[in-house]
Amino acid sequence: MQTQAIYMLLAAVGLLDPASATLLRTSMPLMGWNSYNYYNCNPNESIIKANAQGLVSLGFDKLGYKWVTTDCGWNANYRDSSGQLVWVSSRFPSGGKALGDFLHGLGLKFGVYSGGGYYQCGSTDLPASLNHETTDANSFNNWGADSLKYDNCYSTSNTTMVDNTSPGAVSPTRFETMSKALGAVSRGIVFQVCQWGVGENLGIWAPPIAESWRISNDIQNNWKSIWRIANEVVPYYKYTKPGAYPDMDMLTVGLGALSHEEERFHFGLWSIMKSPLIMGAPALTSATSSQSLATLGNAEVIALNQDSLGEQARLVRRYTEEEWDVFVGTLSGDRLVIGLANWKNGSTAASVDLASVLGISSATARDVWAAQDLGTISGTYSKTLAPHQLQLLVLSNVAKTSATPKSAGYYTATDATLSGSAAKTTCSSTQCLPAHAKVGFIGQGPAAAAVTFNGVKAATSGTKLLGVDFINYDIATDSAWANGSNTRNMTISVNGATPKRWAFPISGGNWFDTGRLQIEVGGFKAGDNTVVFRAATDGQYAPDLVGFEVFE
Ligand SMILES: *[C@@H]1O[C@H](CO)[C@@H](O)[C@H](O)[C@H]1NC(C)=O
Ligand SMILES: *[C@@H]1O[C@H](CO)[C@@H](O)[C@H](O)[C@H]1NC(C)=O
Ligand SMILES: *[C@@H]1O[C@H](CO)[C@@H](O)[C@H](O)[C@H]1NC(C)=O
Ligand SMILES: *[C@@H]1O[C@H](CO)[C@@H](O)[C@H](O)[C@H]1NC(C)=O
Ligand SMILES: *[C@@H]1O[C@H](CO)[C@@H](O)[C@H](O)[C@H]1NC(C)=O
């Protein structure tokens, strides 16, 4: 386990005034504890102290869990005569400075919380920081704060708690204002954006001003949240690097809803995606099972999260009907981490052709959760995954191969034959990310759509690797979105065979930001093929289609 090296970094980008900006960045994702997932907006001084003490007593601080954050519920419903936020005396009789001193005395870091709106989340009258950024940054500084989690409630009015559609609510401006205010105080304070990933291009505007940025709505204490958030974090590998991390939200490990296998899946996935690892369980009381504590305390998995390259794993294969995925990330020391993710609540036979999926001929493998060396693997790696298992393999002594699938042609969707509701859409402004033209409205129902590609060349018959360029920015914005799915289904049929379904994750920062899903599709014959993309029968639109590449 590497110690969390901390360094001051002048904010690299023009959004901050470089002369004054001394925002603190940590080189590795933050690790710690936060009061919200268990105590909601009802923390108090003894709760925070007991959990902080627990982190130390159980040795979690030594593993890197140092940042202890008091979430919503800490402040009083007024500002004092000098306009400052006030710790509510009924719950925090000793105040913020004393709490900070207590945490620092334990060798921990003091995390504070506010929001860029009129009121704090979960309240109807607790003031937040909008229009008071400099005053509040100075208060945080005086209390000895080391980090600020900055939320987005009551962003457009003092009556609507969650508004994630109107321009004010999705605007980066208020986060930039607070980032700048924090950069101007004497302490280095880490800035954690919690804007839920709404609005466009979070991956572009947030990394320059903040250490981490929530990419999704709140995690719920259930399994389907893991699928939802996993599908939303996929495109952020483009922006993740040391000091800039996608926040998948606080952990639900230890909160009793997930099985132990699911908790390992959750913790392992957050680790390889380089999310901050913030415990949400009342850690450190008898309410948290020893198995959950063992999961949270697995030093080998933590080391994957804290790896010095800070590189997020990528989704490199998806087998939707079979319900498993392959994630791959690069680690320091020329190593790779492989995540074989079984989304099925049943066992699944996974098999990975090392050359075509990973571009390697052989490697030395270690199964991280099993804490077992597997020796040399080559050819095809096969594993029967348990229900909801995420197997994590670390590969070292990696021998690369050039015997990987080669491009055998690219087919652009706007050149295909469109039927039903399917239609070409264009975007010419500079706001458009890579795709300036695509095929959208690929729907079901009376106007069922098809995008038909004729003359798709293959040299040989059989299964081909396709790289499908698609667009899905279905960040749902209604009240049920926390529990909804943000994937979109699309089926592919080759030469008239039964269509097969794939679930497409979020592709990027807006409706013109392209993602690529790498999938294996059967039924090709040597020569010309007809490939048809359609919406699935779930009544939803398919993702928009930009085109696809065939590999042989
Ligand atoms: C904090 O909450 C706990 C649990 O509800 C309670 O026992 C304790 O007295 C509270 N302490 C303060 C300072 O409010
Ligand atoms: C809420 O905002 C309205 C108008 O913006 C203002 O008139 C009202 O006083 C505010 N209410 C509170 C409780 O701050
Ligand atoms: C998975 O299956 C087990 C055993 O049948 C069941 O108890 C559990 O509720 C299922 N989990 C989910 C998330 O559906
Ligand atoms: C999500 O579902 C859980 C139950 O599984 C429920 O408690 C929660 O309120 C739901 N959240 C939203 C935002 O609908
Ligand atoms: C995708 O298809 C599956 C299987 O039919 C279905 O359960 C799911 O609700 C569909 N829709 C989305 C948006 O995932």
Side-chain angles (χ1 to χ4, degrees):
M1 168 70 210
Q2 294 156 306
T3 50
Q4 210 163 34
I6 295 175
Y7 58 93
M8 305 290 290
L9 189 77
L10 285 178
V13 216
L15 292 168
L16 286 173
D17 171 7
S20 62
T22 52
L23 209 59
L24 182 66
R25 301 266 182 163
T26 66
S27 50
M28 299 298 113
L30 285 198
M31 295 175 64
W33 182 88
N34 174 299
S35 53
Y36 184 76
N37 278 2
Y38 189 74
Y39 300 99
N40 206 273
C41 295
N42 304 300
N44 70 35
E45 193 171 305
S46 28
I47 286 170
I48 304 297
K49 286 181 169 178
N51 279 285
Q53 186 63 63
L55 281 181
V56 173
S57 306
L58 291 172
F60 278 93
D61 58 332
K62 304 276 188 308
L63 291 166
Y65 292 97
K66 287 196 190 296
W67 301 75
V68 174
T69 299
T70 305
D71 209 286
C72 51
W74 65 271
N75 65 322
N77 64 356
Y78 62 92
R79 287 179 176 271
D80 70 13
S81 54
S82 55
Q84 298 192 53
L85 294 173
V86 176
W87 288 76
V88 62
S89 59
S90 56
R91 295 172 188 238
F92 291 89
S94 315
K97 177 78 171 68
L99 185 58
D101 288 347
F102 176 84
L103 296 173
H104 292 149
L106 290 175
L108 301 173
K109 302 287 183 185
F110 180 27
V112 297
Y113 169 91
S114 190
Y118 294 90
Y119 291 140
Q120 306 283 10
C121 294
S123 78
T124 54
D125 64 348
L126 305 181
S129 296
L130 182 64
N131 302 326
H132 298 270
E133 290 85 357
T134 300
T135 305
D136 293 353
N138 282 319
S139 297
F140 304 146
N141 188 54
N142 294 337
W143 296 330
D146 300 300
S147 62
L148 171 67
K149 174 182 171 184
Y150 205 53
D151 226 322
N152 197 33
C153 295
Y154 295 102
S155 49
T156 51
S157 81
N158 58 15
T159 49
T160 305
M161 181 162 98
V162 175
D163 171 0
N164 46 31
T165 53
S166 53
V170 304
S171 163
T173 313
R174 64 196 57 204
F175 294 90
E176 290 162 2
T177 305
M178 182 50 97
S179 176
K180 200 167 182 175
L182 290 178
V185 301
S186 61
R187 287 183 74 80
I189 298 180
V190 169
F191 189 41
Q192 302 167 281
V193 168
C194 181
Q195 180 263 12
W196 322 316
V198 292
E200 299 201 340
N201 301 330
L202 176 77
I204 293 174
W205 66 259
I209 63 161
E211 162 84 17
S212 63
W213 1 284
R214 278 277 301 280
I215 53 94
S216 64
N217 191 4
D218 289 6
I219 193 170
Q220 309 272 311
N221 190 19
N222 58 39
W223 170 249
K224 61 190 169 187
S225 268
I226 308 301
W227 168 253
R228 167 174 60 86
I229 296 171
N231 278 287
E232 200 155 348
V233 77
V234 164
Y236 288 96
Y237 71 87
K238 290 177 262 189
Y239 309 108
T240 297
K241 60 186 179 206
Y245 294 109
D247 187 345
M248 298 165 77
D249 205 0
M250 280 93 70
L251 300 160
T252 59
V253 177
L255 293 177
L258 302 182
S259 70
H260 292 299
E261 193 64 63
E262 290 166 347
E263 289 192 338
R264 281 188 284 266
F265 188 119
H266 169 28
F267 190 69
L269 188 68
W270 266 231
S271 292
I272 66 173
M273 299 317 243
K274 304 298 193 279
S275 173
L277 297 178
I278 309 295
M279 293 183 194
L284 319 163
T285 71
S286 53
T288 304
S289 79
S290 54
Q291 276 168 296
S292 299
L293 292 177
T295 296
L296 293 164
N298 188 303
E300 266 191 81
V301 179
I302 292 170
L304 301 176
N305 180 255
Q306 301 286 299
D307 184 77
S308 61
L309 295 185
E311 203 174 288
Q312 181 184 327
R314 304 180 189 201
L315 174 63
V316 293
R317 282 293 188 284
R318 170 155 280 186
Y319 303 91
T320 297
E321 291 190 353
E322 300 79 4
E323 297 188 63
W324 62 285
D325 284 337
V326 185
F327 293 92
V328 178
T330 307
L331 301 174
S332 56
D334 296 320
R335 295 169 306 142
L336 297 174
V337 59
I338 312 300
L340 297 181
N342 181 14
W343 295 105
K344 185 156 71 178
N345 201 5
S347 57
T348 290
S351 102
V352 177
D353 180 73
L354 299 183
S356 70
V357 179
L358 307 175
I360 68 179
S361 52
S362 69
T364 305
R366 177 166 174 84
D367 180 330
V368 176
W369 282 120
Q372 214 170 41
D373 290 326
L374 304 182
T376 302
I377 58 169
S378 59
T380 297
Y381 174 77
S382 299
K383 165 78 181 171
T384 301
L385 299 169
H388 294 169
Q389 181 182 1
L390 174 68
Q391 189 188 36
L392 294 175
L393 299 176
V394 169
L395 305 187
S396 50
N397 302 315
V398 173
K400 299 208 165 89
T401 175
S402 56
T404 53
K406 301 291 183 294
S407 180
Y410 192 89
Y411 300 87
T412 302
T414 51
D415 295 339
T417 303
L418 308 184
S419 66
S421 56
K424 179 176 171 176
T425 321
T426 57
C427 171
S428 55
S429 91
T430 52
Q431 296 286 314
C432 308
L433 283 157
H436 290 268
K438 62 180 179 178
V439 172
F441 306 102
I442 306 171
Q444 271 289 331
V451 184
T452 303
F453 297 82
N454 293 305
V456 175
K457 308 272 183 232
T460 58
S461 64
T463 295
K464 305 292 164 195
L465 172 63
L466 302 191
V468 179
D469 292 334
F470 71 100
I471 295 175
N472 172 25
Y473 186 58
D474 214 350
I475 312 282
T477 49
D478 60 48
S479 63
W481 69 300
N483 286 325
S485 168
N486 45 24
T487 56
R488 285 194 174 198
N489 290 318
M490 183 152 61
T491 68
I492 301 174
S493 167
V494 179
N495 299 322
T498 308
K500 195 164 177 179
R501 177 180 65 93
W502 278 272
F504 286 73
I506 298 299
S507 58
N510 68 27
W511 276 109
F512 280 88
D513 197 359
T514 309
R516 170 166 283 205
L517 193 66
Q518 300 188 108
I519 58 179
E520 290 160 17
V521 182
F524 282 84
K525 58 183 198 227
D528 284 355
N529 295 267
T530 298
V531 180
V532 183
F533 292 72
R534 294 178 188 273
T537 52
D538 60 15
Q540 313 285 326
Y541 281 107
D544 296 343
L545 189 60
V546 175
F548 70 94
E549 189 163 15
V550 181
F551 294 86
E552 298 198 85

